[in-house]
């Protein structure tokens, strides 16, 4: 018995030592898990965006520059063939990206994701109707994205600010802002709202996550595609501001389906 | 017998090791021992309804009741200019006057038209900025944002730094920090207040700065008519509501992207824009002077519109005397330049083209941001007596 005691003590020491480790790893789920992270980048015509330089031409022939882009993506979901989809951090999954803030260009997602094979990945561009509630962000920079109550409330899905060389040869600002649209009656009064958020999917992006791996994805916004497919978007027609122009915002959100490319980072 | 005592020794050693491990396992966040007699009372800022929860309070200057009490004395005491003769004394409050939302105001008897100058008559580079809700500014202080957390020079990073700057600036107190320190050190009452606030009765510029910065961080305005409206306590008039709709719509007056609204109750982004006043830029202290980016020529910080009624004249150079003139400018007189901010998308028409009624409504709304409680709050006012009185 006395001989055993020291060994018992050693066991206790080991226990104490191991409980010293980070408290966060509390769950002893048997299921092996990995993680994912996302890099964001912004391209025009296949190359890294150069801001504030009047050097791009869109499909409609407008010469333009981009000053900054600020947007949300949400409901990032990993799809599995067994139908068990993984929604990233249920309610808190609204991620803000800002070309002016490098810290937002990388999203280190804390969720433990079951290891295995996945068929595809998808997200909502902007914020879905049920989640897009006014005043949920009180801190900048997210709070600066608020969408006025009168126009439907919640938040801008995106502010894409730039300038184009207009018909009068003036380099004129355009604010390509997306969010909740308004339905007007014949007298011009607002009688309803349209949620312009949309789903972006990558059906061909199969991948697998192995145990303890952090799989990194790169999401590329191809800016020129906002103005292209299926609708030609001409700044000379739509002008500098569209928050109160549901027709223009509809075109923008319909063009949004293939603006993004996603790949596993090499 | 021998083997038993060996055994015991072993057990004691092991037990000691366990205790040691348990202790070393604990997070070592115990505060450092304090100098005796130094027990400042922590001061917590109440976050008003809808306001950001992230505050710009440096880690090395936590808010304390004693710190900000001292800060309030120093803010109002002309002797921090290092002088004692009434004609040459200057305090922060010489220019930053509470009843004008901590600006000097356009009707100041000495700073005619709101144009401030230092003790020797050298004018300040720009007109004033209000001291209000600055604890929520994480981006930069001064019109060009020179004082900001990313300034490579650690002397220009936060409100603390504006204190020594104010003391030495030729266009402000035109003094030196040693003189300032000496005068305060020799004023009865102050050493004890420094001791209570910072644990030492030795007056330092660092601690003077910390105390004044703490006081400035308490200057919060969040009880205007608009705030009461947001809290459901009062109703706005038809004209004010109309003005609010104009303020927050692109096809209206289009002010909200830079100057906020309910969703950004600071009524500023604290960011820098060229808002279309000029086409030639020759101010050596615009935003460009800080970033070196030619697109920032003629750009300045968008100021808060809270209490804007009290802070004429308007813009960094005070070119507009009234809100009517400002609204007239945004409505009809915008000037194009390659640097015009993309958010000024009405530039092609020279402005938002508001009608006379719309202008009146817009101004009615802007006036709902007036907070009378703020400009009369006794906690912000000049102390009745200084420590030596």
């Amino acid at each position: 018995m006395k001989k055993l005691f020291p060994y018992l003590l050693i066991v206790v020491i080991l226990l104490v030592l191991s409980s010293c480790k980070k408290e966060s790893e509390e769950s002893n789920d048997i299921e092996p898990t990995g993680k994912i992270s996302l890099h964001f980048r912004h391209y025009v015509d296949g190359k890294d965006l150069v801001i504030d330089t009047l050097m791009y031409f869109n499909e409609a022939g407008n010469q333009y520059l981009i000053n900054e882009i600020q947007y949300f993506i949400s409901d990032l979901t990993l799809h599995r063939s067994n139908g068990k989809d993984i929604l990233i951090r249920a309610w808190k999954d609204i991620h803000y990206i800002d070309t002016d803030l490098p810290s937002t260009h990388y999203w280190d997602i804390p969720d433990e994701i079951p290891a295995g094979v996945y068929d595809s990945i998808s997200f909502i561009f902007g914020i879905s109707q049920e989640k897009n509630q006014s005043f949920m962000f009180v801190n900048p920079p997210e709070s600066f994205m608020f969408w006025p109550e009168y126009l439907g409330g919640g938040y801008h899905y995106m502010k894409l600010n730039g300038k184009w060389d207009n018909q009068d040869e003036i380099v004129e600002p355009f604010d390509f802002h997306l969010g909740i649209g308004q339905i007007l009656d014949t007298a011009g009064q607002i009688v309803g709202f349209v949620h312009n958020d949309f789903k972006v999917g990558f059906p061909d992006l199969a991948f697998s996550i192995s145990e303890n791996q952090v799989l990194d994805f790169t999401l590329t916004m191809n800016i020129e595609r906002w103005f292209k497919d299926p609708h030609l978007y001409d700044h000379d027609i739509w002008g500098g501001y569209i928050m109160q122009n549901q027709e223009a915002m509809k075109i923008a959100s319909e063009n949004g389906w293939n603006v993004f490319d996603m790949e596993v980072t090499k | 017998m021998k083997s038993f005592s060996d055994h015991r020794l072993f057990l004691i050693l092991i037990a000691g090791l366990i205790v040691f491990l348990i202790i070393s396992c604990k997070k070592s966040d115990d505060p450092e021992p304090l100098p005796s007699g130094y027990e400042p009372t922590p001061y917590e800022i109440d976050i008003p309804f809808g306001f950001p929860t992230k505050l710009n309070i440096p880690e090395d200057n936590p808010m304390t009741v004693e710190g900000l009490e001292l800060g309030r004395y120093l803010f109002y005491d002309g002797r921090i200019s290092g002088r004692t003769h009434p004609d040459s004394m200057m305090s922060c409050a010489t220019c930053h006057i509470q009843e004008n939302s901590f600006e000097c105001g356009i009707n100041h008897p000495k700073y005619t038209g709101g144009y401030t100058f230092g003790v020797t008559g050298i004018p300040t580079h720009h007109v004033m900025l209000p001291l209000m809700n600055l604890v929520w500014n994480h981006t930069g202080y001064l019109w060009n944002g020179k004082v900001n957390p990313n300034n490579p020079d650690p002397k220009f990073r936060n409100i603390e730094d504006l204190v020594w700057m104010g003391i030495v600036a030729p266009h402000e107190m035109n003094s030196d920090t040693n003189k300032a320190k000496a005068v305060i050190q020799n004023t009865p009452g102050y050493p004890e207040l420094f001791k209570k606030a910072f644990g030492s009765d030795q007056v330092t510029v660092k601690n003077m700065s910390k105390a004044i910065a703490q006081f400035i961080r308490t200057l919060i305005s969040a009880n205007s008519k608009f705030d009461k409206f947001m809290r459901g306590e009062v109703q706005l008039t038809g004209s004010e509501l109309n003005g609010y709709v104009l303020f927050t719509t692109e096809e209206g007056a289009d002010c909200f992207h830079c100057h906020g609204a309910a969703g950004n109750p600071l009524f500023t982004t604290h960011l820098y824009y060229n808002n279309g006043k000029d086409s030639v830029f020759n101010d050596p202290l615009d935003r460009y002077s800080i970033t070196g980016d030619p697109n920032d020529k003629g750009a300045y910080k968008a100021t808060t519109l809270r209490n804007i009624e009290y802070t004429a004249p308007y813009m960094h150079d005070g070119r507009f005397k009234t809100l009517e003139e400002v609204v007239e400018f945004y409505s009809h007189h915008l000037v194009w330049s390659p640097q015009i901010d993309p958010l000024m998308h009405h530039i092609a028409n020279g402005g938002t083209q508001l009608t006379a009624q719309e202008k009146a409504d817009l101004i009615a709304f802007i006036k709902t941001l007036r907070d009378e409680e703020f400009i009369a709050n006794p906690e912000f006012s000049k102390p009745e007596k200084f420590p030596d009185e």
Side-chain angles (χ1 to χ4, degrees):
Chain A
M1 184 59 195
K2 259 185 193 157
K3 283 255 158 74
L4 214 73
F5 204 62
Y7 296 107
L8 268 175
L9 276 175
I10 289 171
V11 171
V12 171
I13 292 177
L14 288 176
L15 271 175
V16 169
L17 268 176
S18 62
S19 67
C20 257
K21 273 191 159 175
K22 267 191 230 141
E23 290 136 37
S24 57
E25 298 165 34
E26 46 196 28
S27 90
N28 314 341
D29 263 356
I30 352 119
E31 195 175 22
T33 58
K35 290 190 177 179
I36 63 166
S37 58
L38 247 70
H39 273 94
F40 299 89
R41 70 185 178 191
H42 306 92
Y43 272 16
V44 182
D45 303 328
K47 296 205 188 82
D48 268 322
L49 166 67
V50 178
I51 59 160
D52 289 334
T53 315
L54 196 67
M55 59 185 260
Y56 301 122
F57 286 90
N58 66 16
E59 198 76 355
N62 310 135
Q63 188 175 8
Y64 71 103
L65 67 81
I66 301 290
N67 171 250
E68 60 190 351
I69 313 170
Q70 295 144 343
Y71 60 104
F72 288 111
I73 68 164
S74 57
D75 289 12
L76 184 64
T77 308
L78 312 186
H79 303 273
R80 289 205 275 200
S81 52
N82 66 5
K84 275 196 179 169
D85 293 347
I86 308 284
L87 182 67
I88 300 300
R89 298 220 298 170
W91 255 91
K92 290 185 184 166
D93 58 349
I94 302 169
H95 187 69
Y96 174 75
I97 303 116
D98 188 330
T99 50
D100 292 335
L101 300 177
S103 62
T104 63
H105 300 177
Y106 177 67
W107 188 14
D108 192 5
I109 297 170
D111 297 44
E112 296 285 343
I113 295 166
V117 178
Y118 290 81
D119 295 339
S120 71
I121 196 163
S122 69
F123 61 81
I124 298 287
F125 182 79
I127 307 170
S128 65
Q129 176 166 4
E130 58 162 334
K131 293 181 190 171
N132 195 6
Q133 303 297 331
S134 296
F135 310 116
M136 66 177 167
F137 295 117
V138 291
N139 287 305
E142 287 89 345
S143 61
F144 293 167
M145 294 291 278
F146 77 87
W147 188 265
E149 304 305 306
Y150 180 75
L151 301 181
Y155 292 82
H156 285 72
Y157 311 150
M158 174 168 75
K159 298 181 188 171
L160 187 160
N161 298 331
K163 295 178 184 177
W164 91 104
D165 199 353
N166 74 9
Q167 283 166 322
D168 306 326
E169 307 293 300
I170 291 175
V171 180
E172 184 179 340
F174 70 80
D175 296 349
F176 190 74
H177 291 193
L178 300 185
I180 296 176
Q182 311 84 36
I183 302 168
L184 307 179
D185 65 12
T186 47
Q189 292 300 309
I190 296 174
V191 291
F193 295 108
V194 189
H195 290 264
N196 287 311
D197 59 287
F198 55 90
K199 189 170 168 175
V200 179
F202 302 95
D204 299 330
L205 189 77
F207 55 92
S208 65
I209 298 175
S210 35
E211 188 169 5
N212 297 329
Q213 180 196 18
V214 181
L215 190 64
D216 188 53
F217 294 88
T218 301
L219 183 71
T220 307
M221 180 194 282
N222 298 286
I223 296 159
E224 77 282 0
R225 296 191 202 159
W226 284 111
F227 310 123
K228 187 160 159 179
D229 181 18
H231 309 285
L232 202 63
Y233 187 99
D234 185 340
H235 294 299
D236 284 330
I237 293 174
W238 299 112
Y241 45 98
I242 59 172
M243 291 176 70
Q244 287 164 275
N245 189 337
Q246 174 53 21
E247 222 184 317
M249 284 198 285
K250 185 165 186 285
I251 288 180
S253 53
E254 288 177 3
N255 283 354
W257 72 282
N258 77 343
V259 159
F260 291 93
D261 287 331
M262 195 160 193
E263 58 189 332
V264 173
T265 309
K266 287 174 193 90
Chain B
M1 201 53 192
K2 188 158 190 266
S3 83
F4 175 75
S5 75
D6 265 5
H7 204 133
R8 248 210 344 217
L9 196 69
F10 180 70
L11 288 183
I12 290 169
L13 272 176
I14 299 265
L17 190 59
I18 293 179
V19 170
F20 170 78
L21 280 173
I22 291 178
I23 289 173
S24 65
C25 220
K26 266 176 115 188
K27 276 203 216 124
S28 61
D29 52 5
D30 297 339
E32 283 175 27
L34 301 171
S36 63
Y38 174 50
E39 285 159 21
T41 324
Y43 177 89
E44 200 149 323
I45 288 183
D46 280 333
I47 311 278
F49 175 78
F51 274 57
T53 52
K54 285 190 198 147
L55 305 174
N56 182 353
I57 299 176
E59 255 172 44
D60 67 354
N61 190 17
M63 308 275 294
T64 66
V65 173
E66 292 79 3
L68 70 93
E69 183 195 352
L70 170 62
R72 180 175 164 203
Y73 283 125
L74 293 171
F75 183 88
Y76 281 100
D77 196 333
R79 291 172 290 196
I80 71 155
S81 62
R83 304 184 190 92
T84 48
H85 190 280
D87 288 346
S88 59
M89 287 203 299
M90 184 178 243
S91 73
C92 309
T94 305
C95 298
H96 294 283
I97 300 169
Q98 182 183 14
E99 65 183 46
N100 302 310
S101 196
F102 292 96
E103 288 200 12
C104 70
I106 197 163
N107 294 322
H108 194 279
K110 188 162 144 203
Y111 302 131
T112 319
Y115 291 94
T116 42
F117 47 84
V119 270
T120 59
I122 301 177
T124 54
H125 297 295
H126 300 133
V127 300
M128 294 195 68
L129 283 165
L131 303 183
M132 183 217 328
N133 297 346
L134 294 188
V135 72
W136 287 286
N137 181 344
H138 300 261
T139 329
Y141 298 102
L142 301 179
W143 282 100
N144 57 18
K146 175 180 174 126
V147 174
N148 73 75
N150 300 318
N151 193 313
D153 187 340
K155 291 209 298 288
F156 299 99
R157 292 207 178 137
N158 215 322
I159 299 176
E160 283 77 358
D161 305 314
L162 283 149
V163 175
W164 72 262
M165 287 168 74
I167 295 173
V168 302
H171 53 266
E172 291 188 3
M173 298 176 194
N174 191 36
S175 184
D176 78 61
T177 48
N178 285 327
K179 277 201 280 179
K181 223 162 43 180
V183 171
I184 298 299
Q185 184 79 61
N186 293 325
T187 304
Y190 271 120
E192 289 90 281
L193 290 172
F194 274 82
K195 173 133 196 165
K196 278 207 253 164
F198 298 110
S200 162
D201 54 15
Q202 195 67 40
V203 174
T204 63
V205 175
K206 197 166 186 184
N207 287 342
M208 281 170 40
S209 303
K210 284 184 174 179
I212 294 179
Q214 286 187 36
F215 172 66
I216 291 178
R217 291 193 177 98
T218 65
L219 304 176
I220 291 175
S221 172
N223 209 13
S224 65
K225 184 173 184 187
F226 182 75
D227 295 296
K228 293 176 188 157
F229 167 67
M230 287 308 296
R231 299 195 299 255
E233 296 162 17
V234 297
Q235 196 38 264
L236 297 187
T237 66
S239 168
E240 289 163 348
L241 274 175
N242 229 353
Y244 184 47
V245 169
L246 289 165
F247 192 87
T248 58
T249 48
E250 285 191 319
E251 291 176 14
D254 197 23
C255 314
F256 64 104
H257 281 121
C258 307
H259 289 292
N264 167 15
L266 301 175
F267 282 88
T268 168
T269 56
H270 295 304
L271 294 173
Y272 312 89
Y273 311 89
N274 180 317
N275 64 346
K277 295 181 300 300
D278 303 295
S279 57
V280 177
F281 308 109
N282 42 28
D283 175 6
L285 290 177
D286 60 0
R287 182 65 183 159
Y288 167 65
S289 73
I290 305 300
T291 64
D293 178 350
N295 288 301
D296 288 334
K297 283 188 182 168
Y300 297 89
K301 185 165 64 189
T303 28
T304 177
L305 298 189
R306 284 185 175 272
N307 287 329
I308 193 77
E309 251 185 289
Y310 300 119
T311 60
Y314 302 115
M315 306 296 162
H316 68 280
D317 52 6
R319 68 178 65 189
F320 301 125
K321 310 294 169 230
T322 61
L323 284 175
E324 283 73 14
E325 286 178 34
V326 172
V327 168
E328 200 59 27
F329 154 73
Y330 280 111
S331 199
H332 307 288
H333 304 299
L334 299 183
V335 179
W336 185 91
S337 70
Q339 284 85 1
I340 186 90
D341 193 89
L343 291 166
M344 298 295 296
H345 45 228
H346 288 278
I347 184 74
N349 301 323
T352 49
Q353 309 296 327
L354 301 186
T355 64
Q357 184 59 51
E358 287 171 331
K359 288 174 199 166
D361 291 347
L362 180 61
I363 289 170
F365 163 69
I366 293 172
K367 290 187 174 177
T368 68
L369 299 171
R370 175 183 61 221
D371 181 352
E372 281 156 20
E373 190 186 280
F374 176 77
I375 63 151
N377 189 332
E379 290 174 20
F380 305 156
S381 66
K382 185 173 177 181
E384 265 163 38
K385 286 174 168 186
F386 283 112
D388 58 332
E389 286 170 344

